[in-house]
Amino acid sequence: METTWNDHNPSQGGEKGIRKYLWIVTNNPWKRNFLTIFLIYLTAVSSILRANYLYVDDIRRTADGQGRWFVYSRYLSDVLAHVIHGGKYLCDIAPLPQILAILLLSWGASCLLCIEEPMHKMQEKKSEQKIFLTGFSVMPLALFPFYLQCLSYRYDAVYMALSVVCGIFPFCYIEKDWKKFRIFSFVGALFMCMTYQASSGIYPMLLVFCLCCKWNKKELRKDFFKEMIWGAMMYLGGLLVFRIFFMKPFETYVSSKVYSISSLISGMASNYQQYYHTMRNLSRWQILLSLFLFGSFIWTYTINSRQKKMFSFFLAIGFLFIESILSLGMYIILEKTMFLPRTMYGFGFFQTLLAIYVVNHSREIISKIIVIFLGWSYFVFSFTFGNALYEQKEYTENQIILLMNSLDNLDQLNHERNIHITGNIGRSPILENMIQNGYEILIDLVPYPFGNGWGSNLVLTTYYNCQNLRFSDQANDITKMKLLKENQFFRIYGEGDHLEIVYRNAWKEPINEKRQAD
């Protein structure tokens, strides 16, 4: 007898109301996928949320309540921030932005599964097994080690996730409503640029992926190809409109200047080389599984091809190369680009596309095992990363308290002092031990911002209320200053109203005993 909604009327009791909800979820493949992926993502980032870590940008925004994303032309982030934070002053509302980011990424991952695999094919006899495998296939989207840093940002996380979704959403309309596909390709490009430009490679990677899948099935009709080209033109049009009318040129640690025509190829090659040189910091296990995933894709794409096998084989290799370039997005053409984890997650999206394809089309169990192991390695690493953040935060706070106590005991906090810090607190000994034992990626993922810089200035003046300290960018000559304090972590020099704090990693020579304080 067929089950109907009337059999689960919530008015008949709380238990039946719950059963109705479960019936709706479990009998709708999209909702079932969404809920499964959301629970996986939320569990994976739980240690990151527990760490409660503040990056330098988070320190400044928590201190002054200002987003200031417009400096990098991220106007939509500024507008949405006032809505999400419920006012003009942006109070710290973590972990709400991270949870919203996970919701957006779960929605995007569910859409990816529908784009590659029509929804009716998920209602097969082995649907439970399929859900299990698809859960692992989309783990690189949000749990790729470099993207985990995006989820660690207490203010930016939701806008970074929104930029990813902007590249995925237009493809929900392919072969359904081409007009909406064109419109959202243009709007998605604009919104992506106004939230986080590092996601600029998502749309072109997905477009090339769809074309290659259609061609391999001999389903690449002229009208489909034509509409995809239209979509690409609309996307490029959105990027062009943003650059001409909205983008503010900037020259800081990253530049908005692009390579000239004469140096474009060499510049792109240099950025490409540097990008994948940084990628080597992934664990050996993750690199090996990634290579196996590439091999599985080539094999699966070739074996399942309805085209000539040899041509499909070389096309699969060419596809991997093209996607590896597109994963950099617009950053590959910038003269001065960033090779920071929070901008290098395009490779994780690249892996997600390959994993979804392998799970849906491979007949070999070994290929699916590779996807499971890769997803599991990212899932486990998310806990490692979160706990590493917590350990570094605890170490940083203890070091700052030690410094404050030392300055207070020397009666330096009650008078106006010009202070300069040389070196920094360094990494926690536990974190150093992890790095030396195969977790080099934590060098890039876990910063230690307390040292000479505006972040330390904010920490001491705002968080510890040291209003008498005035930070200087110019180092003092310690040979003309008196050593006031020394321990195994730092030295404090003083002369008049000037203080110089030198951390251990910046010590150059042993202390001259004659200059030590009594």
Side-chain angles (χ1 to χ4, degrees):
M1 181 177 179
E2 185 179 358
T3 305
T4 65
W5 283 43
N6 293 330
D7 295 329
H8 303 279
N9 189 343
S11 63
Q12 297 177 9
E15 180 181 352
K16 288 192 174 182
I18 295 174
R19 288 171 58 193
K20 174 186 175 181
Y21 173 76
L22 294 176
W23 183 85
I24 293 173
V25 172
T26 55
N27 284 273
N28 185 305
W30 192 92
K31 292 180 180 178
R32 185 169 50 193
N33 284 333
F34 173 81
L35 180 61
T36 301
I37 295 168
F38 175 74
L39 292 176
I40 291 173
Y41 287 172
L42 185 62
T43 303
V45 303
S46 59
S47 65
I48 296 176
L49 302 182
R50 181 187 73 92
N52 204 29
Y53 191 87
L54 274 77
Y55 284 88
V56 174
D57 291 346
D58 294 325
I59 292 173
R60 198 266 303 162
R61 291 189 174 105
T62 304
D64 63 17
Q66 301 298 317
R68 295 183 58 82
W69 288 284
F70 64 85
V71 173
Y72 297 100
S73 306
R74 301 172 192 164
Y75 310 107
L76 187 58
S77 295
D78 270 307
V79 173
L80 293 177
H82 297 307
V83 176
I84 293 174
H85 289 257
K88 185 176 181 181
Y89 188 90
L90 307 183
C91 294
D92 183 5
I93 58 173
L96 180 59
Q98 289 102 317
I99 295 175
L100 292 176
I102 294 168
L103 282 169
L104 285 171
L105 292 170
S106 301
W107 184 88
S110 301
C111 291
L112 280 178
L113 296 175
C114 298
I115 292 169
E116 205 287 322
E117 182 80 353
M119 189 53 69
H120 68 274
K121 292 186 179 180
M122 294 184 182
Q123 298 177 341
E124 300 172 348
K125 293 181 180 179
K126 297 183 179 179
S127 59
E128 291 80 9
Q129 177 185 358
K130 195 106 178 184
I131 291 175
F132 173 78
L133 290 172
T134 53
F136 281 96
S137 69
V138 296
M139 282 190 186
L141 178 66
L143 305 185
F144 183 66
F146 288 166
Y147 191 80
L148 288 176
Q149 190 177 71
C150 297
L151 292 174
S152 304
Y153 278 83
R154 302 161 68 88
Y155 283 82
D156 300 72
V158 61
Y159 316 116
M160 293 173 170
L162 179 60
S163 70
V164 173
V165 172
C166 286
I168 298 174
F169 180 68
F171 291 89
C172 295
Y173 292 98
I174 58 174
E175 296 189 291
K176 298 176 183 176
D177 191 327
W178 288 115
K179 183 178 180 180
K180 289 183 179 179
F181 174 69
R182 296 182 187 181
I183 293 173
F184 287 121
S185 294
F186 179 84
V187 174
L190 274 178
F191 281 12
M192 177 274 300
C193 290
M194 294 182 184
T195 49
Y196 200 57
Q197 297 92 351
S199 296
S200 55
I202 301 294
Y203 182 96
M205 277 194 287
L206 190 49
L207 186 143
V208 173
F209 177 74
C210 290
L211 287 174
C212 287
C213 288
K214 284 289 186 180
W215 179 88
N216 212 38
K217 298 176 183 178
K218 278 193 172 181
E219 297 177 358
L220 185 58
R221 306 182 308 273
K222 288 184 178 179
D223 60 329
F224 182 89
F225 182 77
K226 178 182 176 182
E227 292 296 341
M228 295 299 275
I229 295 300
W230 265 109
M233 293 173 62
M234 295 296 287
Y235 181 78
L236 291 174
L239 298 181
L240 190 62
V241 168
F242 171 78
R243 183 169 181 84
I244 295 175
F245 297 103
F246 297 102
M247 191 186 77
K248 294 181 178 179
F250 54 87
E251 185 75 36
T252 56
Y253 58 92
V254 64
S255 173
S256 59
K257 293 181 180 179
V258 299
Y259 286 108
S260 62
I261 299 297
S262 59
S263 58
L264 181 61
I265 301 300
S266 60
M268 290 174 61
S270 176
N271 286 342
Y272 183 87
Q273 182 182 12
Q274 181 62 34
Y275 180 80
Y276 285 99
H277 177 81
T278 307
M279 207 68 67
R280 295 192 308 172
N281 287 337
L282 293 170
S283 71
R284 295 181 181 88
W285 180 240
Q286 291 168 347
I287 292 175
L288 186 63
L289 287 171
S290 298
L291 294 175
F292 284 156
L293 178 63
F294 295 157
S296 297
F297 171 79
I298 294 173
W299 172 262
T300 304
Y301 189 84
T302 304
I303 292 300
N304 289 279
S305 178
R306 296 178 183 174
Q307 307 282 358
K308 293 182 179 180
K309 303 297 183 184
M310 185 59 68
F311 192 78
S312 298
F313 172 78
F314 286 109
L315 182 63
I317 296 176
F319 167 79
L320 294 179
F321 177 68
I322 292 173
E323 295 285 86
S324 70
I325 295 175
L326 294 176
S327 66
L328 280 79
M330 296 185 298
Y331 284 17
I332 196 172
I333 62 174
L334 297 182
E335 289 185 354
K336 185 180 178 183
T337 189
M338 287 191 296
F339 297 104
L340 301 174
R342 67 177 185 269
T343 65
M344 297 174 61
Y345 53 81
F347 189 76
F349 184 79
F350 176 24
Q351 287 184 326
T352 302
L353 295 179
L354 300 183
I356 291 174
Y357 186 88
V358 168
V359 164
N360 286 336
H361 299 282
S362 177
R363 301 183 183 92
E364 286 74 23
I365 187 65
I366 185 64
S367 296
K368 297 177 180 179
I369 290 176
I370 290 171
V371 172
I372 293 173
F373 279 9
L374 182 63
W376 178 253
S377 72
Y378 291 157
F379 183 76
V380 172
F381 179 79
S382 65
F383 294 96
T384 302
F385 173 56
N387 292 331
L389 286 177
Y390 181 79
E391 176 61 34
Q392 183 64 28
K393 186 191 78 167
E394 291 288 298
Y395 180 76
T396 301
E397 290 177 351
N398 290 334
Q399 288 292 309
I400 294 175
I401 291 173
L402 178 61
L403 175 62
M404 292 296 96
N405 288 336
S406 298
L407 291 174
D408 188 42
N409 292 335
L410 295 171
D411 194 28
Q412 298 294 324
L413 298 180
N414 296 323
H415 310 281
E416 288 193 1
R417 293 288 184 264
N418 295 310
I419 185 174
H420 179 271
I421 300 177
T422 300
N424 50 63
I425 63 171
R427 302 184 185 92
S428 160
I430 293 178
L431 189 60
E432 283 287 1
N433 188 51
M434 295 171 66
I435 292 171
Q436 293 172 10
N437 285 274
Y439 288 90
E440 292 89 352
I441 191 173
L442 293 176
I443 297 175
D444 300 315
L445 289 176
V446 184
Y448 40 96
F450 191 80
N452 186 37
W454 60 269
S456 302
N457 185 358
L458 279 175
V459 168
L460 294 183
T461 57
T462 304
Y463 288 82
Y464 290 86
N465 200 31
C466 299
Q467 299 298 325
N468 289 326
L469 298 182
R470 301 290 182 267
F471 278 77
S472 172
D473 294 329
Q474 186 174 0
N476 297 291
D477 184 359
I478 60 175
T479 62
K480 300 178 181 179
M481 305 178 77
K482 183 179 181 181
L483 178 63
L484 304 177
K485 175 81 173 180
E486 178 183 14
N487 57 35
Q488 62 176 324
F489 303 109
F490 55 79
R491 296 167 179 165
I492 301 177
Y493 296 87
E495 190 68 35
D497 60 352
H498 290 271
L499 291 175
E500 182 75 23
I501 299 170
V502 184
Y503 274 97
R504 187 181 186 88
N505 56 16
W507 291 358
K508 296 181 180 179
E509 58 184 2
I511 293 298
N512 184 345
E513 298 293 337
K514 295 181 179 180
R515 295 190 59 83
Q516 290 191 17
D518 294 335

